[in-house]
Amino acid sequence: MIFTILLYSLTVILLILSLLMDRKKTIKGLKKAWKAFENILPQFLGIIVLVGILVAFLDPQTISGLIGTNSGWSGTIFAGLLGSVTLIPGFIAFPTAALLLKNGAGYMQIGAFVSTLMMVGVVTFPVEKKYFGIKASLVRNLFSFVFSFIVAFALGWVCSL
Amino acid sequence: MKKIIQRYLFFIIAVITSIIIFILNAELGKRALETTLYSLQEMLIVIPPVFVLLGLLDVWVPKETMVKFMGEKSGLKGIILSLVAGSFAAGPLYGAFPVSAVFLKKGASLRNVFIFIGAWSTTKIPMFLFEYSGLGPRFALTRLLVDIPGIIIIAFLLTACLKEDDRKLISKNIMELTEK
């Protein structure tokens, strides 16, 4: 809540500053902001409904079995694979991850899920390949996948302290 | 009209699916609706300022200037700037690729662009705020502290893995994709 207030305060201050400095430029920026939002809105809405369906199907017991505190490395690898093939924006991913934690998922497993979700993109691979070629894209995703388990291990350790 | 339907096809299919679920199992449908409304509320509250900030950033920070500081000889300054530039981004990972293309074309080094992509994917500030409020300071700060060196190491390793041919291919792709 405090972050929402901070975020709004920062935005309002910068917006006023920008308006004072250059009104035309600010309006251009706001138009760009709206366009960027409007561009991604269909995906946002679709994903929000889809995640609703997925979360409804996932009951706490299934989750704690698959990626629970006691699922160890196999649960962590499963969570990492799940994160790699999923594409959920952060504003849904984190509340969902929090919900999973509340329902019995382990920190290490959630760490692997969150990290691969952000760094590894199976769904976005075709786009990445277009720019960086197969080799660079493959190596980047592979390194990121492996690195996510270091992140998971660190999170599992720190959050258990 | 056709274009709108096409753009929102995924959303429409998802809505129809949840309606079917609701008819088949009201309890399950109610749970899906609750989560959806919760996410929607979250989106409506946090997304507007994030996009306004993105718009302001877009008009006030010229790309050319950023790129000038991210070239082959930019050293530590380039690494830090790439991290910061990626962290100030908003949007999904695939949004980073077109921006990276422009960076590369204007003379940013491949290594710095990989750092930028890494930062875009994991240390984005708006994302960090979601993470901080959703999973707590311990989780968010630990991940940030492990991720920053990780992103830089991955970028160095990745650059080292690429041979002359791979670099040529990237330059060729970038030229083709940005000329359009």
Side-chain angles (χ1 to χ4, degrees):
Chain A
M1 194 58 211
I2 183 123
F3 275 93
T4 313
I5 295 166
L6 273 175
L7 189 62
Y8 270 86
S9 314
L10 180 76
T11 309
V12 170
I13 290 167
L14 288 177
L15 193 60
I16 291 169
L17 222 76
S18 175
L19 273 168
L20 288 175
M21 277 159 78
D22 192 331
R23 204 167 158 262
K24 243 174 137 180
K25 217 170 177 177
T26 309
I27 290 168
K28 201 177 143 204
L30 288 176
K31 273 185 184 161
K32 280 190 174 190
W34 170 252
K35 222 181 144 192
F37 176 67
E38 210 270 327
N39 263 335
I40 199 136
L41 188 65
Q43 265 173 304
F44 273 4
L45 291 174
I47 287 164
I48 281 175
V49 178
L50 186 70
V51 169
I53 296 169
L54 287 177
V55 173
F57 273 102
L58 291 172
D59 71 294
Q61 273 175 330
T62 319
I63 298 162
S64 59
L66 290 172
I67 58 168
T69 318
N70 298 319
S71 63
W73 279 104
S74 63
T76 309
I77 291 168
F78 176 77
L81 290 172
L82 198 67
S84 301
V85 297
T86 335
L87 187 76
I88 315 174
F91 71 91
I92 292 178
F94 294 119
T96 307
L99 207 71
L100 290 178
L101 276 175
K102 231 185 271 168
N103 288 335
Y107 273 102
M108 189 162 82
Q109 291 76 7
I110 287 297
F113 174 71
V114 167
S115 188
T116 54
L117 186 68
M118 300 174 121
M119 297 184 94
V120 185
V122 171
V123 185
T124 54
F125 191 82
V127 184
E128 187 170 358
K129 193 190 76 185
K130 258 197 194 161
Y131 289 91
F132 292 98
I134 288 177
K135 187 182 166 187
S137 309
L138 205 65
V139 175
R140 192 196 70 79
N141 280 287
L142 217 66
F143 278 159
S144 304
F145 184 74
V146 173
F147 173 67
S148 292
F149 291 97
I150 299 173
V151 176
F153 185 75
L155 284 169
W157 180 62
V158 171
C159 293
S160 71
L161 290 177
Chain B
M1 187 63 198
K2 202 181 156 198
K3 215 174 159 189
I4 293 172
I5 291 174
Q6 214 166 20
R7 283 190 66 208
Y8 284 87
L9 190 65
F10 173 39
F11 174 59
I12 294 166
I13 291 170
V15 169
I16 292 171
T17 310
S18 39
I19 291 170
I20 292 170
I21 290 169
F22 207 97
I23 294 167
L24 293 175
N25 186 335
E27 189 57 42
L28 211 60
K30 227 180 94 187
R31 251 166 48 200
L33 187 68
E34 270 168 17
T35 311
T36 300
L37 288 177
Y38 172 79
S39 309
L40 199 66
Q41 183 198 337
E42 186 107 28
M43 181 179 109
L44 291 176
I45 291 171
V46 192
I47 287 300
V50 169
F51 273 86
V52 170
L53 286 176
L54 172 83
L56 291 179
L57 207 82
D58 205 333
V59 287
W60 286 109
V61 183
K63 275 179 192 146
E64 287 85 351
T65 312
M66 250 202 288
V67 169
K68 209 167 75 187
F69 290 98
M70 282 167 57
E72 210 67 62
K73 286 171 186 158
S74 52
L76 187 66
K77 181 183 70 188
I79 293 175
I80 293 168
L81 266 172
S82 306
L83 271 174
V84 173
S87 300
F88 272 102
L93 179 60
Y94 50 79
F97 303 130
V99 182
S100 302
V102 177
F103 278 7
L104 279 172
K105 199 185 156 197
K106 292 192 176 171
S109 73
L110 205 51
R111 190 194 64 208
N112 283 341
V113 165
F114 286 137
I115 293 175
F116 170 75
I117 292 174
W120 181 305
S121 70
T122 62
T123 59
K124 263 180 298 191
I125 291 166
M127 203 80 118
F128 182 77
L129 299 179
F130 285 123
E131 184 175 9
Y132 195 98
S133 57
L135 296 172
R138 195 178 266 205
F139 191 99
L141 289 171
T142 304
R143 213 177 60 81
L144 187 68
L145 284 178
V146 178
D147 269 340
I148 290 172
I151 287 165
I152 298 169
I153 292 166
I154 288 175
F156 272 87
L157 287 176
L158 189 52
T159 314
C161 279
L162 297 178
K163 296 199 183 81
E164 197 49 46
D165 286 354
D166 305 317
R167 289 162 188 272
K168 272 186 191 151
L169 176 71
I170 294 170
S171 312
K172 198 180 134 247
N173 289 345
I174 300 300
M175 284 313 283
E176 278 171 8
L177 287 161
T178 49
E179 287 302 304
K180 267 181 206 166

